Amino acid sequence: MKAIFTLGLGLLSAAQALPSARAAASSTVDGTRFSIDGKTGYFAGTNSYWIGFLTNNQDIDTTLDHIATSGLKILRVWGFNDVNTKPGAGTVWFQLLSSSGSQINTGADGLERLDYVVQSAEKRGVKLIINFVNFWDDYGGMNAYVKAFGGSKESWYTNANAQAQYKKYIQAVVSRYAKSDAVFAWELANEPRCKGCSTDVIYKWATDISAYIRSLDSSHMITLGDEGFGLPGDTTYPYQYTEGTDFVKNLGIKDLDFGTFHMYPDSWGVPYSFGEGWIKSHAAACKAAGKPCLLEEYGANASCDIQKPWQQSSLALAADGMSGDLFWQWGDQLSSGQTHNDGNTVYYGSELATCLVTDHIKAIEAAS
């Protein structure tokens, strides 16, 4: 999902230590299901692209308190924030991309912000999906690499200089949290696409990068982060291969532990009724591959009536390929005010949260 939200740098806590060293990862796969802290089953979660850019530690703690007490177990966060020009004081950024020499910001307005998110998640038992780059231009993404190293988004996957720096960034992030039990999975990218490309381009790139991540961290899970485009079952746009992805083929990549797919009927020009078949098609593909499926993003006008049936469809396939869903996106009240409302935001304490969070968690528990 594309997202735009800007925060300045506020007061930082004196406690900025890295996450504590832990033993083996507590989030794994068990056939076509996830296992978290020794419990195998179906798990609910959400997305918060903005939490790693917050500069008030109490806001991070409050958000994660609300997520944890709501019963949500998995939180997907942006592990990237790329720029081509160093911002002024007070702006959070993680990586400066330049052909004359890139820089990874490990300071108080850089990866220390993500450090605190990981620390806070550890204390509350929330598991994080951390991704490394955005297909979209928000927070730099692939476009920031293109500005620094040339080419296009389509050639980014094979641009040697861009990929070399991308791997350096991955190494910097993974090395910080490889021993943290707060990490659910590493994610290659947010919604990678390669319009008009052979599906071999993303397939080969994902094979290489997932193997590289595995060489850095053999404990935590790895996933692609794609929208699930390209698979048999229908002729509508999302099932086609025009965006350069082949869901079934990518599931076969050895070092990818589970499949991801997203769902935005409004953006894709399909009816809301499309959702049930989309979920079933992916569940069947995951079951055939022997890997879990995660409905990683979904949204539709912040509507209970539209989205609740999707949750029900996914949960109904808990024994047949589906193992979790993460709605887009979490909303909360921070010291600086209400978080970004993109039209799909589900705010803590709202009637919509009762439907899509509280009632959903009860349904999952009842089905366990």
Side-chain angles (χ1 to χ4, degrees):
M1 184 71 176
K2 298 171 69 176
I4 302 174
F5 182 60
T6 304
L7 286 166
L9 182 62
L11 294 175
L12 295 171
S13 166
Q16 296 288 344
L18 290 176
S20 56
R22 300 290 177 102
S26 60
S27 302
T28 60
V29 294
D30 182 359
T32 59
R33 298 189 296 172
F34 295 127
S35 182
I36 298 178
D37 294 333
K39 178 182 179 181
T40 298
Y42 186 99
F43 299 93
T46 186
N47 289 263
S48 174
Y49 72 87
W50 42 264
I51 195 168
F53 312 145
L54 296 176
T55 55
N56 182 315
N57 290 344
Q58 184 57 54
D59 284 338
I60 294 172
D61 288 339
T62 296
T63 300
L64 284 165
D65 276 339
H66 291 164
I67 288 171
T69 57
S70 294
L72 299 175
K73 197 65 179 177
I74 306 170
L75 178 65
R76 181 168 173 258
V77 303
W78 275 195
F80 58 83
N81 191 342
D82 308 308
V83 298
N84 294 111
T85 303
K86 187 178 293 187
T91 299
V92 174
W93 60 280
F94 294 168
Q95 181 178 214
L96 171 68
L97 293 166
S98 171
S99 59
S100 60
S102 298
Q103 178 185 347
I104 297 171
N105 181 8
T106 59
D109 57 354
L111 287 175
E112 284 188 15
R113 297 289 77 225
L114 194 57
D115 291 346
Y116 193 84
V117 173
V118 175
Q119 277 186 316
S120 186
E122 280 183 349
K123 294 175 182 177
R124 291 158 178 82
V126 174
K127 308 304 179 181
L128 305 173
I129 296 177
I130 301 175
N131 54 28
F132 300 119
V133 71
N134 200 2
F135 169 79
W136 308 103
D137 297 350
D138 306 320
Y139 300 98
M142 294 180 189
N143 188 52
Y145 284 86
V146 169
K147 289 179 179 178
F149 304 111
S152 64
K153 285 185 181 180
E154 289 71 34
S155 65
W156 179 84
Y157 300 94
T158 55
N159 183 315
N161 291 331
Q163 291 302 306
Q165 183 58 37
Y166 171 62
K167 285 184 174 180
K168 288 180 182 178
Y169 185 71
I170 289 173
Q171 193 278 332
V173 175
V174 171
S175 66
R176 296 176 86 84
Y177 317 126
K179 294 183 179 180
S180 172
D181 67 5
V183 176
F184 182 79
W186 305 115
E187 186 166 273
L188 274 60
N190 174 51
E191 301 188 333
R193 297 182 178 189
C194 192
K195 192 173 185 66
C197 302
S198 164
T199 58
D200 286 342
V201 173
I202 285 182
Y203 175 82
K204 291 176 180 178
W205 165 78
T207 300
D208 174 55
I209 298 302
S210 58
Y212 175 68
I213 297 170
R214 186 74 72 204
S215 74
L216 300 173
D217 178 4
S218 61
S219 298
H220 290 103
M221 294 188 290
I222 304 168
T223 194
L224 181 52
D226 60 313
E227 295 154 282
F229 294 154
L231 76 165
D234 201 337
T235 59
T236 55
Y237 158 70
Y239 282 88
Q240 296 174 18
Y241 301 83
T242 55
E243 299 294 351
T245 59
D246 183 327
F247 183 77
V248 174
K249 183 163 69 173
N250 293 337
L251 271 179
I253 295 174
K254 177 174 65 73
D255 291 307
L256 294 182
D257 295 286
F258 60 93
T260 62
F261 66 103
H262 300 179
M263 188 159 59
Y264 294 103
D266 291 314
S267 299
W268 298 346
V270 294
Y272 297 135
S273 58
F274 166 90
E276 183 178 3
W278 184 242
I279 293 167
K280 286 182 176 179
S281 294
H282 287 84
C286 281
K287 184 177 181 180
K291 295 181 178 182
C293 250
L294 177 65
L295 176 51
E296 189 180 56
E297 288 190 26
Y298 57 95
N301 300 318
S303 169
C304 175
D305 291 343
I306 296 169
Q307 296 179 81
K308 187 172 184 177
W310 297 344
Q311 293 180 334
Q312 293 170 332
S313 294
S314 185
L315 179 57
L317 294 166
D320 292 298
M322 295 303 303
S323 197
D325 67 85
L326 318 180
F327 65 85
W328 181 280
Q329 66 168 322
W330 182 264
D332 223 313
Q333 186 72 28
L334 307 181
S335 61
S336 56
Q338 196 176 67
T339 59
H340 178 219
N341 187 356
D342 64 354
N344 291 312
T345 306
V346 179
Y347 285 99
Y348 174 71
S350 66
E351 289 185 12
L352 185 60
T354 298
C355 170
L356 297 181
V357 182
T358 307
D359 292 350
H360 189 32
I361 296 299
K362 289 179 180 177
I364 292 171
E365 292 173 347
S368 299

